[in-house]
């Protein structure tokens, strides 16, 4: 056998061996089958609740909606991998308060809630006066949340976290950046010392 042919075949074999797992992972990432997704952080009730809230905050219109862009998966990853333990505890406490409020108002568990139920509850918290909004956001910025005195603040922390990560995921998704915002990652190149 010719030495050059042997080296060429060896390099092709090596390239195929390396490329195969990469190609399979890319094809799996493109799959939109929700049955395959296993959350890193969220439990089943949290995932169901957040899915409805994301659908209300970012509904499908002429642009893709939040659920269609898999924002729930993005929120799950962000909570699991970027939030501190303290922030995760605040998020969980807000979820529990929101879940209790849902149960008290509708007399059913959150997993039985409809999109309209969540929309009504969300409006209850965000259709408030400008002064109340400023006061709530000022209290949230202070990072001193006392459960006994202000349990509603945990709910606002929970809802604003979902809103923040929903918007972050939406505006940084490839489909929105390239398809709607006409983002161009190639900004050209820099030339120094050019005569004006």
């Amino acid at each position: 056998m010719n030495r050059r042919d042997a080296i060429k075949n060896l390099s092709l074999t090596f390239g195929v061996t390396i490329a195969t797992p990469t190609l399979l992972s890319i094809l799996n990432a493109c799959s939109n089958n929700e049955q395959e997704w296993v959350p890193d952080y969220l439990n089943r009730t949290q995932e169901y609740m957040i899915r409805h809230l994301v659908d209300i905050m970012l509904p499908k219109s002429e642009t893709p909606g939040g659920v269609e862009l898999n924002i729930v998966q993005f929120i799950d990853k962000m909570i699991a991998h970027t939030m501190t333990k303290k922030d995760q505890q605040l998020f969980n406490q807000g979820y529990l308060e929101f879940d209790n409020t849902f149960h008290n108002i509708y007399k059913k568990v959150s997993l039985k809630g409809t999109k309209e139920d969540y929309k009504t509850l969300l409006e209850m918290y965000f259709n408030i006066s400008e002064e109340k909004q400023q006061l709530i956001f000022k209290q949230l910025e202070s990072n001193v949340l006392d459960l006994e005195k202000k349990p509603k603040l945990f709910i606002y922390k929970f809802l604003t976290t979902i809103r923040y990560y929903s918007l972050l995921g939406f505006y940084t998704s490839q489909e929105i950046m390239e398809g709607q915002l006409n983002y161009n990652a190639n900004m050209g190149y820099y030339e120094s010392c050019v005569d004006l």
Side-chain angles (χ1 to χ4, degrees), residues 43 116 137 165:
N43 63 37
E116 288 304 314
F137 285 114
Y165 284 129

Side-chain angles (χ1 to χ4, degrees), residues 174-185:
Q174 182 176 0
E175 190 169 340
I176 296 301
M177 288 186 77
E178 292 177 357
Q180 305 295 323
L181 301 176
N182 297 322
Y183 173 75
N184 182 4

Side-chain angles (χ1 to χ4, degrees), residues 141-152:
E141 288 173 6
S142 70
N143 286 330
V144 180
L145 301 178
D146 188 358
L147 178 59
E148 281 77 33
K149 293 180 183 174
K150 303 205 189 299
K152 254 189 189 179

Side-chain angles (χ1 to χ4, degrees), residues 93-109:
Q93 192 62 48
Y95 153 72
L96 291 173
E97 290 292 329
F98 190 78
D99 191 45
N100 288 337
T101 304
F102 185 93
H103 180 69
N104 292 336
I105 291 174
Y106 295 110
K107 307 298 184 215
K108 59 184 174 182
V109 295

Side-chain angles (χ1 to χ4, degrees), residues 87 90 140 143 145 153-162:
D87 286 337
L90 292 174
L140 288 175
N143 286 330
L145 301 178
L153 285 179
F154 285 104
I155 294 174
Y156 279 107
K157 182 74 171 170
F158 171 72
L159 293 174
T160 55
T161 300
I162 292 170

